């Protein structure tokens, strides 16, 4: 055993020297701690800024959404008023319509939300006439001047005091482009309440216009309105001046320092959020005090340890040597003499200390450790950390060797790291054996591994889905192509038999339509993934829309031996929405219902307003008695490329994009879709979408006119594909069209130049052609010095109907576009709108 030694006079000098070193170390640690606290404070402020800015943006989005409702109603009203004035209706009828329109606005928004009025023939026609309106100089009012300057776009004014009522208002106004009349809504700021804001105690939310005038507030500040208004105006001035970007904080009216976060709306209004610093940095003060306490305790402990250093035994000094090598991260430390095969316990766990003495044979240490090591790891442990293996490690100069295993702590197993450390500073023939608990690290590694495995699984699943899609698409596209080619060969062989030839031609046409449907699905999904699909909101008859949709499926039900039940309760409703997209949704659902319902089955279609619904929602339900779907497939039915893979007596055709397209369209319309199904029990799809009622002017139906035909038109057709040129020309000729052909863009320009002015009614221009593409050809035609060059309709005929292609045709001076293959009825409808009446 080592002898105890009393400190001599030199020991005190050594103690003081060690204390000075400790003080220097503490000074460095204090500086690091201060830097860490500053970094933590900066991170907390940055996180609060991101969160506050996001919440302010959410509130601004809600406010903009409320303004969008007013903007939509105002746009409908302006368009309807402009149409009536263009039809030269008498003043009394127009004012009666305005009264009905104002009544409908109050019905939709609620009484008192807006005060609508119009400027008509120099007079104000108001829903709520006020005294003095005859003398009111509306032409000098900000809302009137802004509406005129906007040229037909909806404007929102800043907050101002109404000249008649004396109340603060915001005016939304829009100019009728055709008549010069103006429609306006006066909005009271208190109706711009923000519901999305969920504030914590002490937070404040303000909605104000670009000048800082307060529109809405949600705050605990108990100050007069004038004081609060001046405060908000100051915030807006700092925002506009950019000073809040560098230091987003202010000292509030209650003396607290607050973080200021804001979002600017596209009309210049602001949503401003303020958060007290005491809440943002609430946990930081406690951490500082805890750190100071830890420093104080640590300093006292170091002082005591330094005082005891001179009195420690030789064994304790050996322990300090080991601690300098290993640090304080291990719960068990042993000096192992592998030449004499003994151990010395520097630091041991409670279990080991109760089983073996502080020093002894190394085998006893291995046996004791083995009692708590997982059984499967014990053999590897004893072999890897035997004295013989340690000697080989030292000979190879391996300084760090070890691994991880599960060790029992009480009744639970936790991960432990064991290391053999060799260093030349140790006594000859000795190494350090140390144990450290790594449960958190191991669990983190396992979690990372699980995340990587899950990411790999999802990547493989996604790749498998795409591979399945391409396999199915290849099969589904080859099937109609094979039918087209085969039927064409058979038709050629039986030209002398008109009946059989006609049958083959019907199969070619049906397969072509099926192939076109597949391609349209793929293009539609591509547009949706790039956000290039928008809605065409128009007034339409809901009953007529359903009749147009169901007509085709009645024939399909009769030919396939299936029952189609209809429960359509529209009651002549005139609604506003995109009728084409609504029919597309119902066509997808009905096509699937017919596809997966065997002969003798029933498909049920119902349309009605939801029970108890006070909003403008309509519910469409499609139910069938078909084969149904498995629970696993229901979870991914709306994923792109997904198909039911259960065994069945039918093969599902198509791209697997129909349901994904349907869900995207429903979401775009602001609705929701639900599905219920079970194998063998059929499926039920329920779609709920908002379709607000149409205004009276929108309900008016145009007078019937003679149908427009292509007969007698003279068209220039530019197409580089010889087959497409030949077939399209023949189809047009069969409709009575005189066709001038051009095989590329340069020839199209030449044919137009050679023609007499105004002899060509329109030009059908392919886009992708050699020598000169369609866009460049259109530019050259528009640049010609002849009277019809600027007015002749040019229609782009393209296989690419994406947004960028449409934009390119418009920039080149083309009037419209139509997709390949050309639908002659659709072409007739398009030219009807482009050509003057015959």
């Amino acid at each position: 055993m080592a002898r105890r030694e009393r400190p001599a006079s030199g020991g005190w000098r050594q103690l003081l020297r060690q204390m000075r070193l400790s003080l220097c170390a503490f000074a460095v640690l204090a500086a690091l701690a201060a830097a860490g606290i500053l970094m933590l404070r900066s991170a907390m402020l940055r996180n609060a800024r991101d969160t506050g800015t996001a919440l302010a943006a959410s509130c601004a989005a809600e406010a903009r959404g409320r303004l969008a409702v007013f903007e939509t109603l105002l746009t409908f009203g302006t368009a309807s008023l402009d149409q009536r004035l263009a039809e030269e209706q008498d003043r009394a009828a127009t004012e009666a319509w305005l009264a009905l329109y104002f009544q409908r606005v109050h019905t939709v928004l609620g009484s008192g939300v807006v005060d609508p009025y119009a400027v008509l023939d120099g007079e104000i026609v108001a829903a709520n006439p006020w005294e003095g309106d005859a003398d009111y100089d509306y032409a000098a009012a900000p809302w009137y001047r802004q509406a005129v300057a906007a040229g037909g776009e909806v404007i929102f004014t800043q907050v101002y005091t109404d000249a008649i009522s004396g109340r603060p208002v915001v005016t939304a106004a829009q100019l009728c482009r055709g008549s010069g009349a103006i429609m306006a809504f006066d909005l009271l700021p208190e109706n711009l309440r923000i519901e999305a804001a969920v504030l914590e105690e002490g937070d404040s939310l303000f909605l104000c216009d670009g000048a800082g005038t307060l529109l809405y507030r949600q705050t605990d500040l108990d100050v007069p309105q004038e004081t609060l208004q001046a405060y908000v105006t100051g915030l807006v001035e700092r925002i506009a001046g950019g000073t809040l970007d560098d230091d987003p904080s202010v000292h509030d009216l209650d003396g607290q320092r607050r973080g200021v976060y804001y979002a600017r709306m596209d009309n210049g209004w602001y949503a401003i959020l303020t958060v007290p610093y005491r809440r943002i940095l609430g946990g930081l003060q406690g951490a500082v005090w805890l750190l100071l306490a830890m420093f104080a305790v640590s300093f006292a402990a170091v002082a005591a340890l330094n005082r005891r250093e001179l009195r420690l035994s030789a064994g304790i000094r050996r322990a300090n040597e080991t601690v300098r090598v290993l640090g304080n991260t291990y719960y068990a430390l042993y000096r192992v003499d592998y030449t004499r095969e003994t151990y010395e316990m520097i630091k041991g766990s409670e279990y080991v200390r109760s089983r073996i003495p502080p020093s002894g044979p190394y085998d006893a240490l291995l046996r004791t450790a083995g009692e708590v090591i997982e059984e499967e790891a014990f053999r590897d442990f004893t072999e890897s950390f035997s004295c013989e293996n340690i000697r080989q490690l030292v000979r190879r100069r391996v300084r760090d060797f070890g691994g991880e295993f599960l060790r029992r702590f009480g009744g639970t197993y936790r991960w432990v790291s064991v290391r053999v450390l060799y260093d030349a500073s140790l006594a000859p023939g000795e190494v350090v054996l140390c144990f450290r608990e790594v449960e958190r690290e191991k669990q983190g590694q396992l979690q990372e591994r699980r995340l990587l495995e899950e990411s790999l699984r999802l990547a493989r699943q996604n790749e498998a889905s795409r591979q399945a899609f391409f396999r199915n698409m290849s099969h589904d596209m080859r099937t109609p192509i094979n039918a087209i080619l085969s039927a064409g060969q058979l038709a050629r062989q039986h030209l002398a038999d008109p009946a059989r030839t006609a049958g083959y031609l019907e199969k070619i046409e049906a397969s072509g339509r099926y192939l076109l449907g597949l391609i349209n699905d793929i293009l539609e999904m591509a547009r949706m993934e790039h956000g290039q699909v928008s809605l065409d909101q128009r007034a339409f008859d809901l009953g007529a829309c359903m009749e147009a949709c169901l007509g085709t499926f009645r024939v399909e039900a009769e030919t396939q031996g299936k029952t189609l039940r209809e429960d359509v309760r529209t009651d002549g409703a005139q609604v506003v929405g995109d009728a084409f997209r609504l029919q597309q949704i119902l066509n997808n659902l009905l096509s699937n219902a017919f596809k997966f319902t065997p002969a003798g089955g029933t498909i049920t279609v119902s349309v009605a307003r939801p029970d108890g619904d006070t909003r403008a929602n309509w519910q469409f339900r499609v139910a069938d008695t078909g084969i149904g779907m498995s629970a696993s497939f229901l979870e991914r039915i709306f994923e792109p490329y997904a198909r039911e893979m259960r065994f069945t007596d039918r093969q599902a055709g198509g791209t697997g994009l129909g349901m994904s397209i349907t869900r995207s369209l429903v979401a775009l319309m602001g609705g929701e879709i639900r599905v219920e199904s079970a194998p063998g029990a059929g499926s039920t799809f329920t779609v709920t979408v908002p379709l607000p009622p149409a205004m009276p002017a929108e309900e008016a139906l145009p007078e019937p006119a003679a149908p427009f035909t292509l007969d007698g038109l003279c068209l220039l057709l530019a197409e580089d594909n010889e087959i497409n040129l030949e077939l399209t020309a023949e189809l047009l000729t069969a409709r009575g069209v005189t066709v001038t052909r051009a095989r590329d863009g340069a020839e199209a320009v030449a044919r137009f130049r050679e023609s007499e002015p105004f002899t060509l009614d329109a030009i059908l221009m392919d886009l992708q052609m050699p020598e000169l593409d369609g866009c460049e050809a259109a530019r050259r035609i528009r640049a010609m010095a002849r009277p019809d060059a600027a007015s002749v309709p040019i229609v782009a005929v393209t296989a690419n109907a994406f947004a960028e292609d449409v934009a390119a045709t418009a920039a080149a001076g083309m009037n419209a576009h139509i997709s390949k293959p050309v639908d002659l009825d659709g072409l007739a409808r398009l030219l009807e709108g482009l050509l003057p009446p015959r």
Side-chain angles (χ1 to χ4, degrees):
M1 298 289 292
R3 294 180 294 108
R4 292 181 177 270
E5 300 177 358
R6 298 184 64 184
S9 59
W12 289 104
R13 287 193 296 270
Q14 182 180 356
L15 177 61
L16 293 174
R17 187 162 54 251
Q18 291 176 351
M19 288 293 292
R20 285 197 298 271
L21 292 174
S22 299
L23 288 174
C24 291
F26 268 94
V28 173
L29 289 176
L32 293 176
I37 290 172
L38 291 177
M39 291 175 64
L40 178 60
R41 181 180 185 275
S42 177
M44 295 173 73
L45 290 176
R46 185 165 55 251
N47 181 65
R49 182 174 188 173
D50 294 342
T51 304
T53 302
L55 181 56
S58 175
C59 296
E62 180 179 347
R64 189 65 188 88
R66 287 181 176 272
L67 296 181
V69 174
F70 303 139
E71 184 176 346
T72 300
L73 290 173
L74 186 61
T75 300
F76 283 137
T78 304
S80 300
L81 177 61
D82 210 8
Q83 179 181 349
R84 287 180 171 274
L85 294 175
E87 294 172 354
E88 298 182 353
Q89 294 189 359
D90 61 73
R91 176 62 177 263
T94 302
E95 291 185 356
W97 176 86
L98 281 172
L100 180 58
Y101 169 74
F102 294 156
Q103 181 180 357
R104 290 291 183 88
V105 169
H106 287 310
T107 300
V108 173
L109 298 178
S111 178
V113 175
V114 300
D115 184 13
Y117 52 94
V119 176
L120 188 64
D121 296 331
E123 296 181 9
I124 294 179
V125 180
N128 302 304
W130 58 82
E131 294 183 4
D133 58 347
D135 300 325
Y136 174 58
D137 185 11
Y138 62 84
W143 59 267
Y144 184 89
R145 295 198 305 269
Q146 292 181 35
V148 172
E153 298 295 330
V154 176
I155 61 96
F156 288 87
T157 68
Q158 307 280 37
V159 178
Y160 67 95
T161 301
D162 184 68
I164 303 299
S165 66
R167 299 179 65 184
V169 296
V170 173
T171 298
Q174 186 178 21
L175 173 71
C176 294
R177 289 189 173 92
S179 61
I182 289 181
M183 185 80 72
F185 291 170
D186 281 350
L187 318 175
L188 298 179
E190 55 262 34
N191 291 322
L192 297 175
R193 182 176 183 83
I194 298 176
E195 304 291 345
V198 181
L199 305 182
E200 296 190 23
E201 183 179 358
D203 294 356
S204 296
L205 173 66
F206 307 103
L207 179 66
C208 59
D209 64 14
T213 305
L214 194 59
L215 299 170
Y216 170 78
R217 67 178 180 181
Q218 186 175 341
T219 180
D220 294 336
L221 295 174
D222 188 13
V223 296
Q225 175 68 21
E226 295 78 11
T227 304
L228 189 62
Q229 177 60 68
Y231 168 71
V232 174
T233 302
L235 291 180
V236 172
E237 290 175 352
R238 288 193 62 185
I239 291 172
T243 59
L244 280 179
D245 293 336
D246 297 328
D247 181 20
S249 66
V250 296
H251 281 87
D252 217 330
L253 297 174
D254 54 5
Q256 298 186 58
R257 192 177 184 186
R258 289 174 173 259
V260 182
Y261 317 107
Y262 68 93
R264 189 175 189 273
M265 298 165 56
D266 54 7
N267 64 345
W269 293 6
Y270 294 93
I272 304 174
L273 177 70
T274 67
V275 181
Y277 264 42
R278 58 177 171 77
R279 186 166 67 76
I280 297 175
L281 304 176
L284 188 60
Q285 185 175 2
V288 171
W289 283 111
L290 177 61
L291 187 61
L292 291 175
M294 291 174 60
F295 267 103
V297 172
S298 300
F299 184 83
V302 169
L305 289 174
N306 285 331
R307 177 69 180 84
R308 291 184 59 196
E309 175 66 19
L310 297 178
R311 298 181 180 181
L312 293 178
S313 64
I316 298 300
R317 286 198 299 272
R318 288 171 59 83
N320 287 339
E321 292 174 4
T322 307
V323 170
R324 283 197 299 272
V325 175
L326 302 176
N328 295 317
T329 59
Y330 298 94
Y331 71 83
L333 299 169
Y334 303 91
R335 294 282 289 264
V336 177
D337 190 328
Y338 55 86
T339 59
R340 293 187 295 175
E341 299 189 0
T342 60
Y343 75 90
E344 179 182 354
M345 186 186 303
I346 307 301
K347 181 180 179 182
S349 67
E350 182 178 353
Y351 178 82
V352 174
R353 290 199 308 270
S354 68
R355 304 285 291 177
I356 59 175
S359 60
Y362 183 61
D363 286 345
L365 176 61
L366 291 182
R367 285 195 306 270
T368 304
E371 294 173 2
V372 291
I373 293 177
E374 183 187 25
E375 183 177 353
E376 295 181 0
F378 177 67
R379 181 175 179 180
D380 289 340
F381 174 80
T382 55
E383 292 179 356
S384 299
F385 297 96
S386 65
C387 286
E388 178 60 30
N389 194 52
I390 291 175
R391 280 190 286 268
Q392 294 180 13
L393 293 173
V394 173
R395 279 197 297 267
R396 299 202 310 267
R397 311 297 290 179
V398 177
R399 295 180 175 273
D400 188 346
F401 172 81
E404 297 172 349
F405 61 89
L406 284 171
R407 181 198 189 277
R408 188 176 70 249
F409 290 85
T412 61
Y413 279 92
R414 297 199 292 268
W415 285 98
V416 165
S417 172
V418 57
R419 316 296 302 179
V420 168
L421 302 178
Y422 164 73
D423 192 271
S425 64
L426 297 172
E430 288 190 354
V431 294
V432 175
L433 180 67
C434 50
F435 296 84
R436 180 170 66 96
E437 188 176 340
V438 292
E439 177 69 16
R440 288 187 177 180
E441 298 175 14
K442 190 65 175 180
Q443 290 300 333
Q445 293 172 3
L446 293 175
Q447 178 68 15
E448 290 178 1
R449 181 176 178 178
R450 284 192 292 269
L451 289 174
L452 289 174
E453 290 175 348
E454 179 65 14
S455 298
L456 180 59
R457 185 188 67 80
L458 291 176
R460 287 174 175 171
Q461 179 180 336
N462 186 50
E463 179 63 21
S465 297
R466 290 186 178 273
Q467 290 293 338
F469 161 69
F470 284 116
R471 287 195 301 270
N472 292 332
M473 183 181 68
S474 176
H475 171 269
D476 291 337
M477 295 185 77
R478 286 175 182 273
T479 298
I481 290 174
N482 181 66
I484 291 171
L485 295 176
S486 300
Q489 293 175 359
L490 291 172
R492 186 185 299 275
Q493 296 173 9
H494 298 87
L495 294 176
D497 189 343
R500 294 185 67 176
T501 302
Y504 295 138
L505 292 177
E506 289 178 1
K507 291 180 175 62
I508 291 174
E509 185 177 0
S511 297
R513 285 195 299 269
Y514 178 76
L515 181 60
L516 180 60
L518 294 177
I519 296 172
N520 285 339
D521 273 356
I522 297 169
L523 294 177
E524 186 79 356
M525 195 63 198
R527 293 189 193 98
M528 289 182 172
E529 289 179 348
H530 290 83
Q532 296 172 344
V533 175
S534 59
L535 297 178
D536 183 15
Q537 301 282 18
R538 297 174 181 269
F540 67 94
D541 187 311
L542 184 57
C545 174
M546 291 303 303
E547 181 65 24
C549 178
L550 293 173
T552 302
F553 290 99
R554 293 192 190 106
V555 177
E556 189 170 346
E558 183 177 352
T559 58
Q560 295 182 7
K562 303 171 186 177
T563 301
L564 177 61
R565 293 179 179 171
E566 303 174 21
D567 182 14
V568 179
R569 289 176 284 174
T570 58
D571 299 327
Q574 303 288 321
V575 297
V576 176
D578 193 326
F580 173 76
R581 295 299 182 184
L582 179 61
Q583 286 188 358
Q584 187 177 359
I585 292 170
L586 296 175
N587 282 339
N588 283 345
L589 297 180
L590 283 167
S591 296
N592 273 358
F594 273 86
K595 183 188 300 181
F596 296 108
T597 300
T602 301
I603 296 94
T604 304
V605 181
S606 61
V607 181
R609 296 287 301 274
D611 295 336
D613 183 77
T614 59
R615 297 172 296 176
N617 286 335
W618 285 86
Q619 193 172 79
F620 304 83
R621 181 176 285 109
V622 177
D624 63 66
T625 59
I627 62 175
M629 291 173 279
S630 63
S632 61
F633 180 67
L634 278 178
E635 297 178 356
R636 56 188 184 88
I637 183 174
F638 295 115
E639 295 179 4
Y641 323 119
R643 285 179 171 175
E644 172 68 281
M645 299 306 294
R646 291 188 300 109
F647 292 106
T648 175
D649 59 350
R650 299 199 50 155
Q651 275 298 107
T655 59
L657 300 175
M659 286 297 98
S660 179
I661 292 172
T662 299
R663 183 183 63 173
S664 298
L665 289 175
V666 172
L668 188 63
M669 297 174 73
E672 63 176 4
I673 182 171
R674 293 181 287 107
V675 57
E676 302 171 6
S677 184
S683 304
T684 300
F685 289 83
T686 303
V687 174
T688 305
V689 292
L691 297 172
M695 294 301 167
E698 297 166 327
E699 296 172 2
L701 296 176
E703 296 182 3
F708 184 88
T709 65
L710 299 175
D711 186 27
L713 294 180
C714 294
L715 302 180
L716 172 59
L717 175 62
E719 167 64 65
D720 66 313
N721 185 283
E722 190 66 34
I723 296 177
N724 286 345
L725 178 64
E726 182 69 26
L727 294 178
T728 305
E730 289 193 16
L731 290 172
L732 289 171
T733 302
R735 291 286 187 100
V737 177
T738 300
V739 179
T740 300
R741 306 184 189 189
R743 289 166 177 78
D744 55 50
E747 188 175 348
V749 174
R751 293 292 172 269
F752 182 77
R753 183 184 294 110
E754 295 166 358
S755 65
E756 292 294 327
F758 299 106
T759 57
L760 289 174
D761 294 296
I763 300 172
L764 304 183
M765 184 77 73
D766 188 21
L767 290 186
Q768 297 182 356
M769 293 185 293
E771 294 192 32
L772 202 64
D773 62 36
C775 289
E776 183 59 30
R779 291 190 188 95
R780 296 189 183 185
I781 289 174
R782 293 296 188 212
M784 289 185 183
R786 49 185 284 169
D788 60 342
S791 60
V792 61
I794 304 178
V795 178
V797 182
T798 175
N800 300 326
F802 294 114
E804 58 268 23
D805 302 300
V806 176
T809 61
M814 299 193 193
N815 302 84
H817 75 281
I818 190 169
S819 299
K820 293 181 180 180
V822 177
D823 177 6
L824 296 186
D825 292 330
L827 177 62
R829 291 190 296 271
L830 180 63
L831 292 179
E832 182 180 11
L834 297 177
L835 295 175
R838 299 186 185 180

